[in-house]
Amino acid sequence: MAEPAAATAAVTAATAADTPRIAPDEAARLAEAFRLFNAASAELSEAYGTLERQVASLTEELAAANGELRRQYEQKARLTDRLTTLLNQLPAGVVVVDGAGEIEQSNPVAFDMVGARAGQSWSSCAGRLVQADAPAEWDCTDSEGAHRRLSVSEAPLTGENARIVLLHDMTRQHALKIAAARNERLAAMGEMAASLAHQLRTPLAAATLYVGTLIGRELPPADMRSIASRAQDRLRHLERLIRDTLMFARGEVLGREAIDVAGLLEELRHTVEPVARAAGVELIVDDASATGTVSGDRKAIASALVSLLENAVQACSAGGEVGLSVGLDGNRLGFAVRDTGRGIAPEIQERLFEPFFTTRDEGTGLGLAIARGVARVHGGDIECVSAPGAGSQFTLRLPITAGSGTPEDVLEKLQ
């Protein structure tokens, strides 16, 4: 047993003798390195813990954000559904048109009115509209073949290269407007029935008297011709009175056509110039700015302007002057008839357009009333500016007609 122990001791001694010794400074560096490693490991552990906490916090925030986004999405989905329902239930037609003129969105009413649907060109739908007598109003035939009167307007979408076109059905309002105008005329006819009887009785009594003279007496041929001529004048006056009364009572436009303004002025010149020449009055027609067209009954408009011109001629004495000019007044064309006559007192101006009101013995008192009725049924009106001794000016204004006849052109011109 002593030999193995001795051998082991010898081996241990030999091994210890062969193992190199670690220098103190090297041991210090190793100790420092282990210390730094432990410190870094602690920092990494702390950073990892912090990172875990941040990840947990971000996960909670992300979950909250996702919940908020989901809530907003649901709200917007509900809002979109409500807006879609509202759009589909609106009584007006709504069309969204992009910058290229293509329809992005439309509601069923717009489809019923002009056949507007998504992906279609808006110009093809607008081509179905025909300009009516009033500004921004159009006539069309809907998908069921019924006639409609539409009001067209548009507005740009903020921040987008698109616009919204609104189509309002004015058919019922237009019918009510016509009915109201007709009722107004009938009411006026009722109020002026007594005056009408007086207006008819006077020329009829004179004509009866002249005819009775012809029948009851033997007169020379020259006297007979003179009395017959007077009777004929009274009968013609009676005929004019009846004609004007019927025109006032009807008060409707018989036809619609595009009227060239320059041609209309030339027609008025040829019609009124002989009357002015016979009265010794100079007629001046300024057609330098007579461009464009108006839509309406050519005969009715010409008759209204002739009435204004003849009134102006009759208001002037020999050597006077009557002028006719045309000018653009906003979205209306104004026909101005001016004279150098005696002018009109303010108290008379208030009654100028009353039926059967006249200051002339030979007048029927319906000329200005009919002229104003013609202007109004065409969507216009008549204005009078006058002062005693300073002459008068009557301006008949009518809506302009766009050159191309499409809603987009007219809207562009009106804006």
Side-chain angles (χ1 to χ4, degrees):
M1 296 296 295
E3 292 180 359
T8 300
V11 172
T12 301
T15 300
D18 295 336
T19 301
R21 290 181 175 272
I22 299 174
D25 55 344
E26 185 68 20
R29 285 195 299 271
L30 287 174
E32 180 64 19
F34 278 117
R35 187 187 65 78
L36 293 176
F37 176 77
N38 290 333
S41 178
E43 291 178 358
L44 287 174
S45 297
E46 183 178 356
Y48 181 75
T50 302
L51 183 60
E52 283 185 331
R53 291 191 295 273
Q54 290 179 350
V55 168
S57 176
L58 290 176
T59 302
E60 292 177 358
E61 292 179 4
L62 181 60
N66 287 336
E68 178 66 19
L69 288 175
R70 187 179 299 106
R71 186 183 63 82
Q72 292 179 3
Y73 173 79
E74 291 174 352
Q75 287 181 346
K76 290 181 178 181
R78 288 194 298 270
L79 179 60
T80 300
D81 182 65
R82 291 177 183 176
L83 291 177
T84 301
T85 303
L86 176 62
L87 185 66
N88 292 334
Q89 296 299 321
L90 279 176
V94 181
V95 182
V96 180
V97 184
D98 63 18
E102 298 293 324
I103 298 176
E104 291 185 353
Q105 186 179 6
S106 66
N107 64 346
V109 176
F111 177 77
D112 292 339
M113 288 179 175
V114 294
R117 65 175 65 190
Q120 190 177 6
S121 172
W122 165 243
S123 59
S124 64
C125 300
R128 299 175 57 178
L129 302 176
V130 180
Q131 187 176 8
D133 48 24
E137 290 189 6
W138 307 83
D139 292 323
C140 75
T141 302
D142 62 16
S143 58
E144 298 181 354
H147 174 78
R148 290 200 187 192
R149 172 68 66 95
L150 303 180
S151 173
V152 182
S153 60
E154 69 173 48
L157 291 174
T158 305
E160 298 183 37
N161 185 21
R163 65 187 189 276
I164 290 183
V165 180
L166 300 177
L167 307 171
H168 297 275
D169 192 342
M170 306 291 293
T171 307
R172 179 172 174 79
Q173 290 88 331
H174 180 64
L176 291 175
K177 182 172 66 175
I178 293 176
R182 185 182 295 111
N183 292 336
E184 182 180 354
R185 290 192 301 273
L186 291 176
M189 289 294 294
E191 293 176 359
M192 66 188 184
S195 177
L196 176 61
H198 174 73
Q199 293 286 340
L200 293 174
R201 184 191 306 167
T202 301
L204 184 60
T208 302
L209 178 63
Y210 290 138
V211 172
T213 302
L214 290 175
I215 295 174
R217 298 182 184 179
E218 292 291 336
L219 299 173
D223 291 343
M224 292 180 63
R225 286 193 296 270
S226 176
I227 294 176
S229 176
R230 293 178 184 177
Q232 187 179 38
D233 288 342
R234 294 298 87 199
L235 291 175
R236 286 176 177 171
H237 178 76
L238 187 62
E239 180 186 12
R240 288 197 305 271
L241 183 61
I242 294 174
R243 181 198 62 198
D244 290 347
T245 303
L246 291 176
M247 185 178 295
F248 175 78
R250 186 178 68 241
E252 296 176 353
V253 176
L254 301 180
R256 292 285 180 188
E257 61 179 301
I259 305 171
D260 178 62
V261 175
L264 179 61
L265 292 188
E266 189 63 22
E267 177 185 339
L268 295 174
R269 186 203 305 272
H270 288 305
T271 302
V272 181
E273 199 166 35
V275 179
R277 190 184 307 112
V281 176
E282 182 181 5
L283 175 65
I284 300 175
V285 179
D286 181 10
D287 56 1
S289 58
T291 59
T293 61
V294 291
S295 175
D297 187 328
R298 183 186 184 93
K299 183 178 179 181
I301 294 176
S303 176
L305 290 172
V306 167
S307 179
L308 294 179
L309 288 167
E310 289 181 346
N311 284 350
V313 170
Q314 293 167 0
C316 294
S317 55
E321 181 181 294
V322 172
L324 172 63
S325 60
V326 180
L328 189 62
D329 182 10
N331 63 334
R332 294 186 176 189
L333 206 60
F335 295 83
V337 177
R338 63 188 183 281
D339 64 66
T340 58
R342 54 187 175 274
I344 306 172
E347 61 272 14
I348 296 179
Q349 291 184 41
E350 296 177 358
R351 303 187 58 193
L352 278 177
F353 298 100
E354 292 182 10
F356 294 109
F357 175 78
T358 180
T359 58
R360 302 197 313 269
D361 295 336
E362 297 298 320
T364 64
L366 288 174
L368 288 177
I370 293 173
R372 185 175 66 171
V374 169
R376 287 184 173 179
V377 83
H378 283 85
D381 209 339
I382 294 181
E383 177 187 65
C384 172
V385 177
S386 181
S392 306
Q393 175 170 312
F394 287 82
T395 304
L396 187 151
R397 294 183 174 86
L398 298 174
I400 60 174
T401 302
S404 63
T406 64
E408 291 176 326
D409 295 330
V410 172
L411 288 170
E412 181 179 355
K413 180 174 286 189
L414 297 182
Q415 289 174 351

